[in-house]
Amino acid sequence: MGTIVVGVDGSANGAAAMRWAVAEAALRQDRVVALFAWGYIPPGHAGHDRTFDAEYGPADAAADAELVAAIDAAVGPDSAGAIERRVIGDLAPKALLAASTGAELLVVGARGVGGFRGLLLGSVSQACLHHTSVPLAIIRSAPPPDPTAVGEQRPTSGAQRIVVGVDGSDSARRAMRWAVEEARQRRAAVDVVHAWHAPYAVPSPFAGMPIDTEVVEKYARSVLDRVVDGEDLRRRPAPVE
């Protein structure tokens, strides 16, 4: 049994992340650890010779009460009993990254209780995105856009189709393996995508220098095929394209 760590802060995106983590854990038979990090200033760095108690004194109880309320609101009291709770007095990105070391997955909301409305990702999810050493799921509370709005008729639900980008690197191969395993759990189709473009012989793309794009496309196709052929695609309930 592995561990899924999910950040909880009482926001709508945080509640969506909590629900997603619980559903994912049910698929994988993993346990869920809900983490609530509080405090704008790290312990021991208040300045002016003032320091914080490492345990943050009785405030831990208040923070745990906030975490309990957020979990109950997100998944209900029946499901909440099976979720492990952790309250840490530290900056949220630091606490989440440390707690998720060795975990199967880290789950956070796209934006927390702060931030500007126009930002797609909040500061916590951005920090986790750039520094995590484990797979990361960033969950939004809003539903995905209607695919018919851009002429795309294929389903976009995560339970039906998983898109994975590859470039031949080791990290891309890890992403491919994760996507295939996730698709097995969800009985989903997998789309493997490798993007390529014609190289420019001069700084301007409008210089008119002839480029044999077929050669470039053929090489890109070989990169894609090597990644797909290197994975065990047996027992696949849905196709890999």
Side-chain angles (χ1 to χ4, degrees):
M1 175 182 290
T3 299
I4 296 177
V5 176
V6 53
V8 179
D9 64 356
S11 67
N13 281 295
M18 185 77 251
R19 290 189 291 271
W20 192 94
V22 169
E24 184 72 9
L27 286 175
R28 295 173 170 269
Q29 298 301 302
D30 288 340
R31 68 189 183 105
V32 177
V33 175
L35 186 146
F36 177 60
W38 65 279
Y40 293 102
I41 306 174
H45 295 281
H48 301 291
D49 297 324
R50 295 194 301 271
T51 58
F52 289 103
D53 179 358
E55 298 299 325
Y56 281 81
D60 276 344
D64 186 65
E66 291 285 344
L67 177 56
V68 170
I71 295 173
D72 285 350
V75 300
D78 292 339
S79 297
I83 298 170
E84 179 182 332
R85 304 192 309 272
R86 293 185 192 175
V87 174
I88 298 179
D90 204 346
L91 299 180
K94 181 181 176 184
L96 287 165
L97 292 170
S100 63
T101 300
E104 295 295 318
L105 183 66
L106 172 60
V107 183
V108 296
R111 272 195 314 114
V113 293
F116 300 99
R117 289 185 179 273
L119 295 180
L120 293 178
L121 295 180
S123 59
V124 173
S125 53
Q126 283 278 17
C128 292
L129 174 65
H130 290 293
H131 297 289
T132 182
S133 60
V134 303
L136 169 69
I138 299 176
I139 309 301
R140 303 196 67 181
S141 59
D146 182 0
T148 60
V150 291
E152 176 63 76
Q153 300 298 321
R154 301 177 66 176
T156 58
S157 169
Q160 297 170 310
R161 185 166 69 102
I162 295 173
V163 179
V164 54
V166 300
D167 60 2
S169 65
D170 290 340
S171 58
R173 291 179 186 277
R174 288 180 60 196
M176 176 69 184
R177 287 191 290 272
W178 193 93
V180 169
E181 178 57 30
E182 185 74 2
R184 285 195 181 105
Q185 300 286 346
R186 294 178 175 273
R187 304 186 64 82
V190 177
D191 279 3
V192 189
V193 179
H194 175 61
W196 66 275
H197 64 84
Y200 302 130
V202 292
S204 172
F206 307 106
M209 181 76 69
I211 296 293
D212 188 352
T213 58
E214 290 186 3
V215 173
V216 183
E217 183 175 7
K218 183 178 180 180
Y219 175 77
R221 174 64 64 179
S222 71
V223 171
L224 181 62
D225 290 342
R226 284 198 303 271
V227 172
V228 174
D229 294 343
E231 299 302 322
D232 181 7
L233 301 179
R234 294 174 296 181
R235 299 183 293 110
R236 287 286 303 117
V240 173
E241 294 186 16

